[in-house]
Amino acid sequence: MMGEIKENIISPKQPYFVMTTSHYYKAVIMNYGISHFYCFTKEDIIERQFIAVPDGCVDILFCCDDKAPYAHICGTVLRPTLTHNNENKYFFGVRFLPGSPFKFENITMSELVENEIPFLEVIKDNELFEKITSSRDFNYQIQVFLERYIKLYANLNEVNKYKDLKKYMLNSITQTAGKIKINELAEATGYSVRYINKTFSKEFGLSPKVFCKLMRFQYLLSILNELDKDMLESNLAQISMELGYYDQSHMIKDFHEFTNTTPKMYIKALKEAEYKKRIIII
């Protein structure tokens, strides 16, 4: 049966969100099933496109526009996807951690994958929508959202019968950077491979195999975000081995599948955009 495993939560990244704006504000939570809140303005003077990459997460994205505000619940993409490319619009977002216990009424997690659903069709809370979309105060928007959400979160944690198994599977995958095999999860938990696949797909909206692939990609993003371009060539082979790719070519192929670019070109783009200077942690 399941043994103890230290919790290790991945911090999901959307680097192209950051590179489309001069200032990307981020409030890290890492609690209540939330990774972080963020806000930015998509500026027309920056020509880069607003692209989402796979992260295994669900976001709620509010476009706070005076004339035409809207909000969408956005599931993870499985390939680089152009999204919400509205110039000079202010956005406020909530990024939930992979496998967040927050569920949406009448929508399964698998239905959210590569899909966006209008917020008010699912969460019929016009007051919350209006308070958030009529404001440009990041701290106020966070406060308003958390006041409503934390009560829901407490109830969800109480009723989720898969909570312990789900937590164990997620922690096992994140601690191994997605390298763990499904039969290893089955053996460690005492459940069958079929049951693991069925439960995981229900809770995460993805098969464990696909989810592991996305988490490995997210770990690779984290490494590349800290790696200097001049160090890349000498480190690619070691990185690919540590992350469990067959070889360096396999890693580059997977990275290209999820970003439409290579690790080398990605690091070049980070440097040109002065990526770290754009992120403001509050």
Side-chain angles (χ1 to χ4, degrees), residues 65-108:
D65 183 62
D66 292 332
K67 295 181 179 179
Y70 66 83
H72 286 175
I73 299 170
C74 311
T76 186
V77 297
L78 299 179
R79 58 187 61 81
T81 303
L82 184 66
T83 182
H84 299 276
N85 213 37
N86 310 80
E87 294 177 346
N88 294 322
K89 302 292 186 183
Y90 172 90
F91 289 94
F92 168 77
V94 187
R95 182 159 306 139
F96 295 95
L97 288 163
S100 168
F102 190 46
K103 297 293 185 294
F104 305 96
E105 189 176 355
N106 299 322
I107 295 177
T108 65

mmCIF file of all heavy atoms in Angstrom, residues 65-108:
data_model
loop_
_atom_site.group_PDB
_atom_site.id
_atom_site.type_symbol
_atom_site.label_atom_id
_atom_site.label_comp_id
_atom_site.label_asym_id
_atom_site.label_seq_id
_atom_site.Cartn_x
_atom_site.Cartn_y
_atom_site.Cartn_z
ATOM 1 N N ASP A 65 -11.988 44.552 -19.193
ATOM 2 C CA ASP A 65 -12.172 45.597 -20.192
ATOM 3 C C ASP A 65 -13.451 46.373 -19.896
ATOM 4 O O ASP A 65 -14.481 45.775 -19.582
ATOM 5 C CB ASP A 65 -12.242 44.971 -21.584
ATOM 6 C CG ASP A 65 -12.369 46.009 -22.682
ATOM 7 O OD1 ASP A 65 -11.446 46.823 -22.830
ATOM 8 O OD2 ASP A 65 -13.397 45.993 -23.377
ATOM 9 N N ASP A 66 -13.390 47.699 -19.972
ATOM 10 C CA ASP A 66 -14.553 48.518 -19.645
ATOM 11 C C ASP A 66 -15.742 48.238 -20.564
ATOM 12 O O ASP A 66 -16.892 48.221 -20.128
ATOM 13 C CB ASP A 66 -14.188 50.012 -19.735
ATOM 14 C CG ASP A 66 -13.201 50.424 -18.647
ATOM 15 O OD1 ASP A 66 -13.215 49.781 -17.583
ATOM 16 O OD2 ASP A 66 -12.420 51.368 -18.875
ATOM 17 N N LYS A 67 -15.474 48.010 -21.829
ATOM 18 C CA LYS A 67 -16.549 47.856 -22.801
ATOM 19 C C LYS A 67 -17.012 46.410 -22.975
ATOM 20 O O LYS A 67 -18.202 46.157 -23.149
ATOM 21 C CB LYS A 67 -16.102 48.413 -24.147
ATOM 22 C CG LYS A 67 -15.849 49.917 -24.130
ATOM 23 C CD LYS A 67 -15.439 50.415 -25.503
ATOM 24 C CE LYS A 67 -15.206 51.927 -25.494
ATOM 25 N NZ LYS A 67 -14.773 52.432 -26.821
ATOM 26 N N ALA A 68 -16.067 45.484 -22.951
ATOM 27 C CA ALA A 68 -16.432 44.080 -23.210
ATOM 28 C C ALA A 68 -15.658 43.133 -22.301
ATOM 29 O O ALA A 68 -14.804 42.372 -22.752
ATOM 30 C CB ALA A 68 -16.178 43.736 -24.674
ATOM 31 N N PRO A 69 -15.958 43.152 -20.997
ATOM 32 C CA PRO A 69 -15.264 42.237 -20.080
ATOM 33 C C PRO A 69 -15.728 40.800 -20.309
ATOM 34 O O PRO A 69 -16.855 40.552 -20.726
ATOM 35 C CB PRO A 69 -15.689 42.733 -18.702
ATOM 36 C CG PRO A 69 -17.042 43.339 -18.936
ATOM 37 C CD PRO A 69 -16.967 43.967 -20.302
ATOM 38 N N TYR A 70 -14.835 39.863 -20.041
ATOM 39 C CA TYR A 70 -15.214 38.458 -20.121
ATOM 40 C C TYR A 70 -14.299 37.646 -19.219
ATOM 41 O O TYR A 70 -13.268 38.137 -18.742
ATOM 42 C CB TYR A 70 -15.154 37.944 -21.564
ATOM 43 C CG TYR A 70 -13.765 37.886 -22.182
ATOM 44 C CD1 TYR A 70 -12.921 36.792 -21.955
ATOM 45 C CD2 TYR A 70 -13.302 38.912 -23.005
ATOM 46 C CE1 TYR A 70 -11.658 36.730 -22.515
ATOM 47 C CE2 TYR A 70 -12.045 38.864 -23.569
ATOM 48 C CZ TYR A 70 -11.219 37.766 -23.323
ATOM 49 O OH TYR A 70 -9.959 37.710 -23.875
ATOM 50 N N ALA A 71 -14.665 36.408 -18.974
ATOM 51 C CA ALA A 71 -13.825 35.494 -18.191
ATOM 52 C C ALA A 71 -14.029 34.086 -18.721
ATOM 53 O O ALA A 71 -15.149 33.694 -19.041
ATOM 54 C CB ALA A 71 -14.183 35.565 -16.713
ATOM 55 N N HIS A 72 -12.940 33.350 -18.812
ATOM 56 C CA HIS A 72 -12.990 31.977 -19.301
ATOM 57 C C HIS A 72 -12.297 31.042 -18.309
ATOM 58 O O HIS A 72 -11.309 31.408 -17.672
ATOM 59 C CB HIS A 72 -12.278 31.858 -20.653
ATOM 60 C CG HIS A 72 -13.053 32.434 -21.787
ATOM 61 N ND1 HIS A 72 -12.555 32.524 -23.069
ATOM 62 C CD2 HIS A 72 -14.303 32.943 -21.856
ATOM 63 C CE1 HIS A 72 -13.449 33.070 -23.864
ATOM 64 N NE2 HIS A 72 -14.516 33.323 -23.149
ATOM 65 N N ILE A 73 -12.827 29.833 -18.213
ATOM 66 C CA ILE A 73 -12.126 28.739 -17.531
ATOM 67 C C ILE A 73 -11.353 27.989 -18.606
ATOM 68 O O ILE A 73 -11.940 27.493 -19.569
ATOM 69 C CB ILE A 73 -13.118 27.808 -16.827
ATOM 70 C CG1 ILE A 73 -13.908 28.591 -15.773
ATOM 71 C CG2 ILE A 73 -12.394 26.633 -16.172
ATOM 72 C CD1 ILE A 73 -15.079 27.826 -15.193
ATOM 73 N N CYS A 74 -10.044 27.940 -18.456
ATOM 74 C CA CYS A 74 -9.165 27.431 -19.520
ATOM 75 C C CYS A 74 -8.453 26.167 -19.062
ATOM 76 O O CYS A 74 -7.708 26.194 -18.078
ATOM 77 C CB CYS A 74 -8.120 28.485 -19.899
ATOM 78 S SG CYS A 74 -8.791 30.132 -20.219
ATOM 79 N N GLY A 75 -8.691 25.067 -19.749
ATOM 80 C CA GLY A 75 -7.990 23.830 -19.451
ATOM 81 C C GLY A 75 -6.608 23.822 -20.080
ATOM 82 O O GLY A 75 -6.282 24.672 -20.921
ATOM 83 N N THR A 76 -5.795 22.877 -19.691
ATOM 84 C CA THR A 76 -4.454 22.788 -20.262
ATOM 85 C C THR A 76 -4.517 22.531 -21.768
ATOM 86 O O THR A 76 -5.427 21.850 -22.256
ATOM 87 C CB THR A 76 -3.627 21.669 -19.602
ATOM 88 O OG1 THR A 76 -2.274 21.713 -20.100
ATOM 89 C CG2 THR A 76 -4.201 20.291 -19.885
ATOM 90 N N VAL A 77 -3.575 23.100 -22.484
ATOM 91 C CA VAL A 77 -3.401 22.752 -23.887
ATOM 92 C C VAL A 77 -2.434 21.578 -23.965
ATOM 93 O O VAL A 77 -1.723 21.268 -22.999
ATOM 94 C CB VAL A 77 -2.869 23.955 -24.707
ATOM 95 C CG1 VAL A 77 -3.880 25.097 -24.680
ATOM 96 C CG2 VAL A 77 -1.509 24.424 -24.180
ATOM 97 N N LEU A 78 -2.387 20.929 -25.109
ATOM 98 C CA LEU A 78 -1.457 19.810 -25.320
ATOM 99 C C LEU A 78 -0.418 20.137 -26.386
ATOM 100 O O LEU A 78 0.440 19.316 -26.696
ATOM 101 C CB LEU A 78 -2.236 18.550 -25.719
ATOM 102 C CG LEU A 78 -3.244 18.044 -24.686
ATOM 103 C CD1 LEU A 78 -3.966 16.805 -25.203
ATOM 104 C CD2 LEU A 78 -2.569 17.750 -23.355
ATOM 105 N N ARG A 79 -0.495 21.339 -26.923
ATOM 106 C CA ARG A 79 0.465 21.832 -27.919
ATOM 107 C C ARG A 79 0.473 23.351 -27.803
ATOM 108 O O ARG A 79 -0.463 23.936 -27.245
ATOM 109 C CB ARG A 79 0.041 21.390 -29.327
ATOM 110 C CG ARG A 79 -1.336 21.864 -29.722
ATOM 111 C CD ARG A 79 -1.794 21.284 -31.039
ATOM 112 N NE ARG A 79 -1.864 19.827 -30.996
ATOM 113 C CZ ARG A 79 -2.884 19.150 -30.475
ATOM 114 N NH1 ARG A 79 -3.914 19.803 -29.962
ATOM 115 N NH2 ARG A 79 -2.897 17.840 -30.460
ATOM 116 N N PRO A 80 1.494 24.036 -28.313
ATOM 117 C CA PRO A 80 1.507 25.497 -28.216
ATOM 118 C C PRO A 80 0.303 26.093 -28.930
ATOM 119 O O PRO A 80 0.016 25.753 -30.075
ATOM 120 C CB PRO A 80 2.833 25.887 -28.887
ATOM 121 C CG PRO A 80 3.215 24.709 -29.726
ATOM 122 C CD PRO A 80 2.685 23.511 -29.018
ATOM 123 N N THR A 81 -0.410 26.976 -28.232
ATOM 124 C CA THR A 81 -1.695 27.468 -28.733
ATOM 125 C C THR A 81 -1.797 28.984 -28.577
ATOM 126 O O THR A 81 -1.627 29.512 -27.473
ATOM 127 C CB THR A 81 -2.853 26.805 -27.963
ATOM 128 O OG1 THR A 81 -2.741 25.376 -28.082
ATOM 129 C CG2 THR A 81 -4.198 27.256 -28.496
ATOM 130 N N LEU A 82 -2.094 29.666 -29.675
ATOM 131 C CA LEU A 82 -2.335 31.099 -29.639
ATOM 132 C C LEU A 82 -3.651 31.369 -28.926
ATOM 133 O O LEU A 82 -4.671 30.751 -29.249
ATOM 134 C CB LEU A 82 -2.380 31.654 -31.063
ATOM 135 C CG LEU A 82 -2.537 33.167 -31.225
ATOM 136 C CD1 LEU A 82 -1.302 33.884 -30.701
ATOM 137 C CD2 LEU A 82 -2.777 33.520 -32.684
ATOM 138 N N THR A 83 -3.647 32.273 -27.947
ATOM 139 C CA THR A 83 -4.849 32.472 -27.150
ATOM 140 C C THR A 83 -4.952 33.909 -26.665
ATOM 141 O O THR A 83 -3.943 34.560 -26.387
ATOM 142 C CB THR A 83 -4.870 31.508 -25.943
ATOM 143 O OG1 THR A 83 -6.077 31.683 -25.218
ATOM 144 C CG2 THR A 83 -3.693 31.744 -25.009
ATOM 145 N N HIS A 84 -6.144 34.439 -26.570
ATOM 146 C CA HIS A 84 -6.429 35.754 -25.981
ATOM 147 C C HIS A 84 -5.416 36.815 -26.398
ATOM 148 O O HIS A 84 -4.843 37.521 -25.569
ATOM 149 C CB HIS A 84 -6.483 35.643 -24.449
ATOM 150 C CG HIS A 84 -7.545 34.728 -23.963
ATOM 151 N ND1 HIS A 84 -8.859 35.107 -23.799
ATOM 152 C CD2 HIS A 84 -7.501 33.405 -23.647
ATOM 153 C CE1 HIS A 84 -9.578 34.077 -23.388
ATOM 154 N NE2 HIS A 84 -8.776 33.027 -23.292
ATOM 155 N N ASN A 85 -5.215 36.943 -27.687
ATOM 156 C CA ASN A 85 -4.182 37.848 -28.199
ATOM 157 C C ASN A 85 -4.739 39.269 -28.369
ATOM 158 O O ASN A 85 -4.522 39.917 -29.385
ATOM 159 C CB ASN A 85 -3.649 37.314 -29.537
ATOM 160 C CG ASN A 85 -2.180 37.634 -29.735
ATOM 161 O OD1 ASN A 85 -1.410 37.610 -28.788
ATOM 162 N ND2 ASN A 85 -1.810 37.945 -30.955
ATOM 163 N N ASN A 86 -5.469 39.742 -27.346
ATOM 164 C CA ASN A 86 -6.085 41.071 -27.398
ATOM 165 C C ASN A 86 -5.083 42.130 -26.964
ATOM 166 O O ASN A 86 -4.590 42.105 -25.830
ATOM 167 C CB ASN A 86 -7.308 41.127 -26.476
ATOM 168 C CG ASN A 86 -8.257 39.971 -26.698
ATOM 169 O OD1 ASN A 86 -8.018 38.874 -26.209
ATOM 170 N ND2 ASN A 86 -9.334 40.203 -27.416
ATOM 171 N N GLU A 87 -4.815 43.078 -27.821
ATOM 172 C CA GLU A 87 -3.827 44.107 -27.498
ATOM 173 C C GLU A 87 -4.412 45.154 -26.557
ATOM 174 O O GLU A 87 -5.584 45.510 -26.642
ATOM 175 C CB GLU A 87 -3.321 44.762 -28.778
ATOM 176 C CG GLU A 87 -2.530 43.807 -29.661
ATOM 177 C CD GLU A 87 -2.079 44.436 -30.960
ATOM 178 O OE1 GLU A 87 -2.600 45.513 -31.305
ATOM 179 O OE2 GLU A 87 -1.203 43.856 -31.621
ATOM 180 N N ASN A 88 -3.538 45.642 -25.663
ATOM 181 C CA ASN A 88 -3.883 46.700 -24.713
ATOM 182 C C ASN A 88 -5.076 46.337 -23.825
ATOM 183 O O ASN A 88 -5.915 47.171 -23.498
ATOM 184 C CB ASN A 88 -4.161 48.027 -25.442
ATOM 185 C CG ASN A 88 -2.909 48.574 -26.105
ATOM 186 O OD1 ASN A 88 -1.818 48.476 -25.567
ATOM 187 N ND2 ASN A 88 -3.070 49.116 -27.297
ATOM 188 N N LYS A 89 -5.165 45.077 -23.457
ATOM 189 C CA LYS A 89 -6.190 44.612 -22.534
ATOM 190 C C LYS A 89 -5.523 44.178 -21.225
ATOM 191 O O LYS A 89 -4.456 43.563 -21.228
ATOM 192 C CB LYS A 89 -6.975 43.437 -23.116
ATOM 193 C CG LYS A 89 -7.663 43.718 -24.453
ATOM 194 C CD LYS A 89 -8.787 44.709 -24.333
ATOM 195 C CE LYS A 89 -9.514 44.839 -25.666
ATOM 196 N NZ LYS A 89 -10.578 45.852 -25.628
ATOM 197 N N TYR A 90 -6.180 44.475 -20.125
ATOM 198 C CA TYR A 90 -5.687 44.074 -18.804
ATOM 199 C C TYR A 90 -6.304 42.724 -18.439
ATOM 200 O O TYR A 90 -7.530 42.567 -18.490
ATOM 201 C CB TYR A 90 -6.049 45.127 -17.760
ATOM 202 C CG TYR A 90 -5.747 44.716 -16.328
ATOM 203 C CD1 TYR A 90 -4.516 44.987 -15.749
ATOM 204 C CD2 TYR A 90 -6.699 44.057 -15.554
ATOM 205 C CE1 TYR A 90 -4.241 44.624 -14.434
ATOM 206 C CE2 TYR A 90 -6.443 43.682 -14.246
ATOM 207 C CZ TYR A 90 -5.207 43.973 -13.693
ATOM 208 O OH TYR A 90 -4.932 43.593 -12.399
ATOM 209 N N PHE A 91 -5.451 41.783 -18.052
ATOM 210 C CA PHE A 91 -5.904 40.445 -17.665
ATOM 211 C C PHE A 91 -5.559 40.158 -16.210
ATOM 212 O O PHE A 91 -4.476 40.514 -15.728
ATOM 213 C CB PHE A 91 -5.246 39.378 -18.536
ATOM 214 C CG PHE A 91 -5.727 39.355 -19.959
ATOM 215 C CD1 PHE A 91 -5.038 40.055 -20.948
ATOM 216 C CD2 PHE A 91 -6.860 38.646 -20.321
ATOM 217 C CE1 PHE A 91 -5.473 40.030 -22.255
ATOM 218 C CE2 PHE A 91 -7.307 38.616 -21.629
ATOM 219 C CZ PHE A 91 -6.601 39.312 -22.609
ATOM 220 N N PHE A 92 -6.480 39.483 -15.526
ATOM 221 C CA PHE A 92 -6.237 38.943 -14.192
ATOM 222 C C PHE A 92 -6.475 37.444 -14.260
ATOM 223 O O PHE A 92 -7.497 36.994 -14.794
ATOM 224 C CB PHE A 92 -7.182 39.573 -13.163
ATOM 225 C CG PHE A 92 -7.189 38.879 -11.826
ATOM 226 C CD1 PHE A 92 -6.153 39.078 -10.924
ATOM 227 C CD2 PHE A 92 -8.221 38.017 -11.465
ATOM 228 C CE1 PHE A 92 -6.149 38.440 -9.692
ATOM 229 C CE2 PHE A 92 -8.235 37.377 -10.234
ATOM 230 C CZ PHE A 92 -7.182 37.593 -9.344
ATOM 231 N N GLY A 93 -5.524 36.658 -13.742
ATOM 232 C CA GLY A 93 -5.647 35.218 -13.853
ATOM 233 C C GLY A 93 -5.393 34.474 -12.559
ATOM 234 O O GLY A 93 -4.678 34.945 -11.678
ATOM 235 N N VAL A 94 -6.007 33.304 -12.468
ATOM 236 C CA VAL A 94 -5.785 32.369 -11.359
ATOM 237 C C VAL A 94 -5.302 31.067 -11.979
ATOM 238 O O VAL A 94 -5.996 30.489 -12.820
ATOM 239 C CB VAL A 94 -7.078 32.092 -10.570
ATOM 240 C CG1 VAL A 94 -6.768 31.242 -9.329
ATOM 241 C CG2 VAL A 94 -7.795 33.383 -10.213
ATOM 242 N N ARG A 95 -4.121 30.612 -11.591
ATOM 243 C CA ARG A 95 -3.621 29.332 -12.101
ATOM 244 C C ARG A 95 -3.684 28.303 -10.977
ATOM 245 O O ARG A 95 -3.038 28.441 -9.942
ATOM 246 C CB ARG A 95 -2.189 29.455 -12.632
ATOM 247 C CG ARG A 95 -1.661 28.123 -13.212
ATOM 248 C CD ARG A 95 -0.510 28.360 -14.171
ATOM 249 N NE ARG A 95 -0.918 29.314 -15.180
ATOM 250 C CZ ARG A 95 -0.128 30.297 -15.642
ATOM 251 N NH1 ARG A 95 1.093 30.426 -15.196
ATOM 252 N NH2 ARG A 95 -0.586 31.134 -16.555
ATOM 253 N N PHE A 96 -4.484 27.276 -11.190
ATOM 254 C CA PHE A 96 -4.594 26.201 -10.207
ATOM 255 C C PHE A 96 -3.453 25.210 -10.394
ATOM 256 O O PHE A 96 -2.962 25.013 -11.510
ATOM 257 C CB PHE A 96 -5.940 25.497 -10.356
ATOM 258 C CG PHE A 96 -7.116 26.375 -10.045
ATOM 259 C CD1 PHE A 96 -7.780 27.046 -11.058
ATOM 260 C CD2 PHE A 96 -7.544 26.551 -8.743
ATOM 261 C CE1 PHE A 96 -8.851 27.871 -10.781
ATOM 262 C CE2 PHE A 96 -8.627 27.378 -8.446
ATOM 263 C CZ PHE A 96 -9.278 28.048 -9.470
ATOM 264 N N LEU A 97 -3.047 24.588 -9.321
ATOM 265 C CA LEU A 97 -2.010 23.566 -9.393
ATOM 266 C C LEU A 97 -2.533 22.340 -10.142
ATOM 267 O O LEU A 97 -3.734 22.074 -10.150
ATOM 268 C CB LEU A 97 -1.579 23.154 -7.985
ATOM 269 C CG LEU A 97 -0.751 24.187 -7.223
ATOM 270 C CD1 LEU A 97 -0.746 23.872 -5.736
ATOM 271 C CD2 LEU A 97 0.672 24.238 -7.773
ATOM 272 N N PRO A 98 -1.630 21.593 -10.783
ATOM 273 C CA PRO A 98 -2.065 20.343 -11.417
ATOM 274 C C PRO A 98 -2.807 19.464 -10.413
ATOM 275 O O PRO A 98 -2.359 19.277 -9.284
ATOM 276 C CB PRO A 98 -0.741 19.690 -11.844
ATOM 277 C CG PRO A 98 0.209 20.829 -12.009
ATOM 278 C CD PRO A 98 -0.178 21.822 -10.943
ATOM 279 N N GLY A 99 -3.966 18.961 -10.841
ATOM 280 C CA GLY A 99 -4.739 18.108 -9.950
ATOM 281 C C GLY A 99 -5.445 18.845 -8.836
ATOM 282 O O GLY A 99 -5.809 18.248 -7.825
ATOM 283 N N SER A 100 -5.661 20.149 -8.984
ATOM 284 C CA SER A 100 -6.373 20.915 -7.963
ATOM 285 C C SER A 100 -7.714 20.263 -7.650
ATOM 286 O O SER A 100 -8.391 19.760 -8.543
ATOM 287 C CB SER A 100 -6.613 22.346 -8.460
ATOM 288 O OG SER A 100 -7.525 23.017 -7.612
ATOM 289 N N PRO A 101 -8.120 20.272 -6.381
ATOM 290 C CA PRO A 101 -9.404 19.650 -6.021
ATOM 291 C C PRO A 101 -10.601 20.460 -6.485
ATOM 292 O O PRO A 101 -11.732 19.983 -6.421
ATOM 293 C CB PRO A 101 -9.350 19.597 -4.485
ATOM 294 C CG PRO A 101 -8.446 20.725 -4.105
ATOM 295 C CD PRO A 101 -7.406 20.769 -5.200
ATOM 296 N N PHE A 102 -10.369 21.696 -6.947
ATOM 297 C CA PHE A 102 -11.492 22.524 -7.380
ATOM 298 C C PHE A 102 -12.106 21.944 -8.638
ATOM 299 O O PHE A 102 -11.445 21.749 -9.644
ATOM 300 C CB PHE A 102 -11.015 23.953 -7.628
ATOM 301 C CG PHE A 102 -12.136 24.937 -7.842
ATOM 302 C CD1 PHE A 102 -13.235 24.934 -7.003
ATOM 303 C CD2 PHE A 102 -12.085 25.850 -8.868
ATOM 304 C CE1 PHE A 102 -14.276 25.842 -7.177
ATOM 305 C CE2 PHE A 102 -13.114 26.765 -9.061
ATOM 306 C CZ PHE A 102 -14.212 26.766 -8.209
ATOM 307 N N LYS A 103 -13.387 21.648 -8.571
ATOM 308 C CA LYS A 103 -14.103 21.090 -9.713
ATOM 309 C C LYS A 103 -15.238 22.026 -10.107
ATOM 310 O O LYS A 103 -15.719 22.806 -9.302
ATOM 311 C CB LYS A 103 -14.664 19.701 -9.364
ATOM 312 C CG LYS A 103 -13.594 18.670 -9.051
ATOM 313 C CD LYS A 103 -12.767 18.343 -10.278
ATOM 314 C CE LYS A 103 -11.785 17.216 -9.987
ATOM 315 N NZ LYS A 103 -10.753 17.580 -9.008
ATOM 316 N N PHE A 104 -15.639 21.916 -11.337
ATOM 317 C CA PHE A 104 -16.673 22.787 -11.866
ATOM 318 C C PHE A 104 -17.937 21.967 -12.120
ATOM 319 O O PHE A 104 -17.880 20.880 -12.696
ATOM 320 C CB PHE A 104 -16.189 23.454 -13.142
ATOM 321 C CG PHE A 104 -14.897 24.201 -12.951
ATOM 322 C CD1 PHE A 104 -13.683 23.611 -13.260
ATOM 323 C CD2 PHE A 104 -14.907 25.480 -12.440
ATOM 324 C CE1 PHE A 104 -12.493 24.288 -13.069
ATOM 325 C CE2 PHE A 104 -13.721 26.171 -12.243
ATOM 326 C CZ PHE A 104 -12.517 25.574 -12.553
ATOM 327 N N GLU A 105 -19.065 22.506 -11.716
ATOM 328 C CA GLU A 105 -20.330 21.785 -11.802
ATOM 329 C C GLU A 105 -20.661 21.412 -13.242
ATOM 330 O O GLU A 105 -20.588 22.238 -14.152
ATOM 331 C CB GLU A 105 -21.451 22.648 -11.221
ATOM 332 C CG GLU A 105 -22.765 21.921 -11.062
ATOM 333 C CD GLU A 105 -23.819 22.768 -10.389
ATOM 334 O OE1 GLU A 105 -23.490 23.888 -9.961
ATOM 335 O OE2 GLU A 105 -24.955 22.304 -10.294
ATOM 336 N N ASN A 106 -20.994 20.154 -13.425
ATOM 337 C CA ASN A 106 -21.437 19.625 -14.729
ATOM 338 C C ASN A 106 -20.343 19.611 -15.794
ATOM 339 O O ASN A 106 -20.622 19.477 -16.980
ATOM 340 C CB ASN A 106 -22.643 20.416 -15.260
ATOM 341 C CG ASN A 106 -23.836 20.335 -14.321
ATOM 342 O OD1 ASN A 106 -24.091 19.294 -13.726
ATOM 343 N ND2 ASN A 106 -24.548 21.442 -14.170
ATOM 344 N N ILE A 107 -19.078 19.749 -15.381
ATOM 345 C CA ILE A 107 -17.964 19.684 -16.332
ATOM 346 C C ILE A 107 -16.905 18.739 -15.782
ATOM 347 O O ILE A 107 -16.474 18.886 -14.635
ATOM 348 C CB ILE A 107 -17.330 21.064 -16.563
ATOM 349 C CG1 ILE A 107 -18.319 22.004 -17.222
ATOM 350 C CG2 ILE A 107 -16.091 20.957 -17.445
ATOM 351 C CD1 ILE A 107 -17.793 23.402 -17.412
ATOM 352 N N THR A 108 -16.501 17.769 -16.562
ATOM 353 C CA THR A 108 -15.428 16.872 -16.138
ATOM 354 C C THR A 108 -14.084 17.506 -16.469
ATOM 355 O O THR A 108 -13.985 18.392 -17.330
ATOM 356 C CB THR A 108 -15.535 15.514 -16.845
ATOM 357 O OG1 THR A 108 -15.315 15.704 -18.256
ATOM 358 C CG2 THR A 108 -16.902 14.885 -16.624
#
